[in-house]
Amino acid sequence: MDSLAGADVVVIGGGFGGLSTACYLADAGADVTLLEKNEQLGGRASRLEVDGFRFDMGPSWYLMPDVFERFFAYFDHEPADYYDLTRLDPHYRIFFKDGDRVDMVPDLEQNRAVFESYEPGAGEQFDRYLEKSRENYEVGMEHFVYEDRSSLSDFLDWNVAKNARGLSLIGSMQDHVEQYFEHPKLQQIMQYTLVFLGGAPNNTPALYNLMSHVDFNMGVYYPENGLGGVVDGIVELGEELGIDFQTAAPVSEIKGRQGAFAVRTEDGREWFPDYVVSDADYRHTEMELLDEQKRQYDADYWDSRTYAPSAFLLYLGVEGDVDPLEHHTLVLPTDWDEHFERIFDNPEWPEDPAYYLCVPSETDDSVAPEGHSNLFALVPIAAGIEDTPEIREEFRDLVLDDIAENTGVELRDRIVVEESFCVSDFAERYNSTQGTALGLAHTLRQTALFRPPHRSSAVDGLYFTGAFTTPGIGVPMCLISGELTAESMAEQAG
């Protein structure tokens, strides 16, 4: 990336995509300024601190540790230089709403026995499924995730076709999982990660069975000080590389082109970089920060996209313990089709929600005062759905009742801190299109070359990074998007 040495670059947005891009560019010798709208860095990985409680507001699962290792290794570091990791045991607990309870643990033999207990032969199928998942992960990561194949011609290359042979590139996750398991609960266990990909079983490509390799073979970890601790580590690395981080700096417009940009913030400050990289919401950047003639896409394009779910989040500081909840706990209806229909097909607030409970105080004493528990509930809901104080209050009561009924944990009389976050907050805090919590969903028509590009086709020198681009949604994917964006910039500059 030597071609970028001495270039002035402004990165808009301090999420993982922006932080990653900034680090790669600074390492290449560029002079990098990162402008973050909010008061802290991390994007959706913000932290909320109230009365001795510290909540990760967004992502809370540390998956794909190899991606973090690769990122830091590029700069001759390792994650342990910035934070420690604890492998969780169990990885997570599932409460099914018929009273059943399952733990998935680091020991594959125990997990195999659980599968066999539900369905004769499912233990052997579990092995076969994970082997396919491993294959998809290893080939998919090397040839389709770390490589930015942004045009059809990239996929017609013989080497790509050769490596793609045998991958689960066609069909949905539902079709794929049904080939291995008949029991609906086993199908759900293999598909719960779709929540993090922003899809549903019938609209997410089967390729994403690779997430089961991530889950079962690679493990689930908790980083020191949560995901916010990972943000701190990357920011520390960025400061070592000379990045100028500016918080409370919401950008209001982008003018000009390569070598002659003007970037303005709402308080009237200006920067005049050679290049601009946006890690802000892609639609917001195009429709709100650029003049109409500088946009790649119009409103009709953005209206036609499928957005990943938003979320109803309830951050709770609670007196006493919350056993039998684990660090990661999932509460699932035995039939979750209706849940996904109310997200993607007929947007409505769910009556029988599937949801996730995070209790980091099970692992980390620093996130809550002594004698208290730190808990948040996350319910995926449709992006763009109506979000009013009255609806939130009603749904909050539904969720607390559901937790008590299906996990046995009564929270109401023990809550000492309570904050909510929902569709309108995502839109306001992150300029998030339709209040999506994640970005563009990983549907069959919004994967790989069907996602918006890293390089603007309308403005020379303008680039994009983060969850709207390839490789997609999730903290590891956004880290990788930063690498792909920096590589694209270096290629064009060279």
Side-chain angles (χ1 to χ4, degrees), residues 113-175:
V114 168
F115 272 65
E116 187 68 27
S117 71
Y118 279 96
E119 184 178 304
E124 185 177 339
Q125 290 293 78
F126 175 80
D127 292 335
R128 290 183 59 241
Y129 189 93
L130 288 193
E131 185 55 39
K132 184 63 176 177
S133 174
R134 179 192 297 274
E135 176 189 340
N136 277 1
Y137 187 85
E138 292 175 350
V139 176
M141 292 293 286
E142 180 178 354
H143 296 284
F144 298 95
V145 174
Y146 284 117
E147 296 286 337
D148 187 17
R149 305 191 184 281
S150 56
S151 67
L152 184 59
S153 61
D154 292 330
F155 284 85
L156 298 177
D157 178 87
W158 164 243
N159 190 48
V160 175
K162 179 179 66 176
N163 285 295
R165 187 172 57 194
L167 287 182
S168 309
L169 295 175
I170 300 175
S172 68
M173 274 290 291
Q174 185 62 38
D175 296 334

Side-chain angles (χ1 to χ4, degrees), residues 53-94:
F53 294 90
R54 187 180 70 245
F55 301 93
D56 275 329
M57 293 183 68
S60 58
W61 292 63
Y62 191 94
L63 299 168
M64 301 172 71
D66 57 321
V67 173
F68 296 88
E69 290 164 6
R70 174 188 165 115
F71 172 78
F72 283 107
Y74 185 91
F75 308 99
D76 298 321
H77 283 285
E78 57 185 356
D81 293 338
Y82 300 98
Y83 54 86
D84 293 328
L85 291 173
T86 301
R87 185 163 185 174
L88 299 182
D89 186 3
H91 287 167
Y92 51 91
R93 172 167 290 170
I94 300 176

